[in-house]
Amino acid sequence: MAQSSGIVGILLAAGAGTRFGGDKCLARLPDGVPMAVRSAENLSTIVDEVLCVVRPQDEWLRGLLHKASFSTVICDDAEEGMGASIRAGVAARSLAAEWVIALADMPVIRERTYKRMMLRLTDDHIVRPEFNGQAGHPVCFPMRYREDLLALQGDQGAKGVIQQYPDQVQAFESMDPGVLKDFDTPEALEAYFNQDHASLAYLLGQA
């Protein structure tokens, strides 16, 4: 069902997690919260609704997200790649004013980064954070890019839309390494949270 929900956060949680050796969205962070749930919680601080895109077989993940009060939509063709997940999310909330597209395996983006992104929203510009000059996530698309997002193919995500409208991309330096930090293996996740130089609150993006 296409619903109008103001600013909608689309959390992409339909990846197979092959390199992780299983569904990394279910991986527990040091405080016991599953990675996808923490990513959804962080995203929820700046949007009117979080919609999580999941695979048909991810019943356990759907249950955890629903328990945490997040909506889900099933992406039947998730194997096609990230483009299919974005299509599914945008189609389910096709009348939204803005879509903030975020990844479920990026749970350490700081709250202030999300808030700084919201301050830059316009009806025309694609907004995204950078860290040390590298493009990061999440990325916000206003309604004018709906048809472009619904036409996405393959596993490049929304990169094609960004490349098509380079003059409409408003990037900002976030000073937040979390905008680049995803976790593809259990070892990477464990190593990150075992760092001695930062507190748990910092690592979880709450500091």
Side-chain angles (χ1 to χ4, degrees), residues 55-194:
R55 298 175 299 170
Q57 62 269 39
D58 287 339
E59 295 182 3
W60 185 251
L61 176 60
R62 290 177 64 199
L64 290 174
L65 290 166
H66 286 163
K67 184 177 181 180
S69 301
F70 296 115
S71 302
T72 62
V73 62
I74 294 174
C75 181
D76 291 319
D77 49 358
E79 293 78 9
E80 179 187 317
M82 197 178 295
S85 293
I86 295 173
R87 290 200 314 265
V90 172
R93 297 294 184 270
S94 63
L95 299 181
E98 312 262 356
W99 298 277
V100 181
I101 298 176
L103 306 182
D105 63 352
M106 298 186 72
V108 295
I109 300 171
R110 300 175 191 169
E111 182 176 347
R112 64 176 175 264
T113 300
Y114 284 110
K115 291 182 176 179
R116 289 184 64 197
M117 168 177 279
M118 290 299 101
L119 293 174
R120 289 163 171 79
L121 296 189
T122 71
D123 292 336
D124 298 317
H125 290 95
I126 299 166
V127 181
R128 71 181 310 167
E130 293 183 346
F131 180 74
N132 286 343
Q134 296 185 61
H137 286 85
V139 184
C140 184
F141 294 89
M143 181 183 286
R144 64 174 292 186
Y145 300 100
R146 176 176 56 196
E147 298 308 315
D148 298 290
L149 295 171
L150 291 174
L152 287 173
Q153 303 289 330
D155 198 35
Q156 286 196 320
K159 186 180 297 184
V161 179
I162 294 170
Q163 292 173 341
Q164 186 177 351
Y165 302 101
D167 294 337
Q168 298 299 319
V169 177
Q170 185 177 108
F172 67 96
E173 182 62 33
S174 67
M175 305 299 292
D176 178 4
V179 304
L180 304 179
K181 193 65 183 177
D182 59 356
F183 297 100
D184 287 330
T185 66
E187 292 77 18
L189 184 65
E190 181 178 2
Y192 187 84
F193 285 102
N194 280 340

Side-chain angles (χ1 to χ4, degrees), residues 185-204:
T185 66
E187 292 77 18
L189 184 65
E190 181 178 2
Y192 187 84
F193 285 102
N194 280 340
Q195 295 178 90
D196 294 329
H197 66 272
S199 69
L200 177 60
Y202 176 84
L203 292 172
L204 292 178

Side-chain angles (χ1 to χ4, degrees), residues 38-56:
R38 172 50 43 74
S39 296
E41 289 173 345
N42 293 345
L43 181 58
S44 71
T45 61
I46 48 90
V47 299
D48 298 302
E49 178 191 10
V50 174
L51 180 67
C52 306
V53 184
V54 301
R55 298 175 299 170

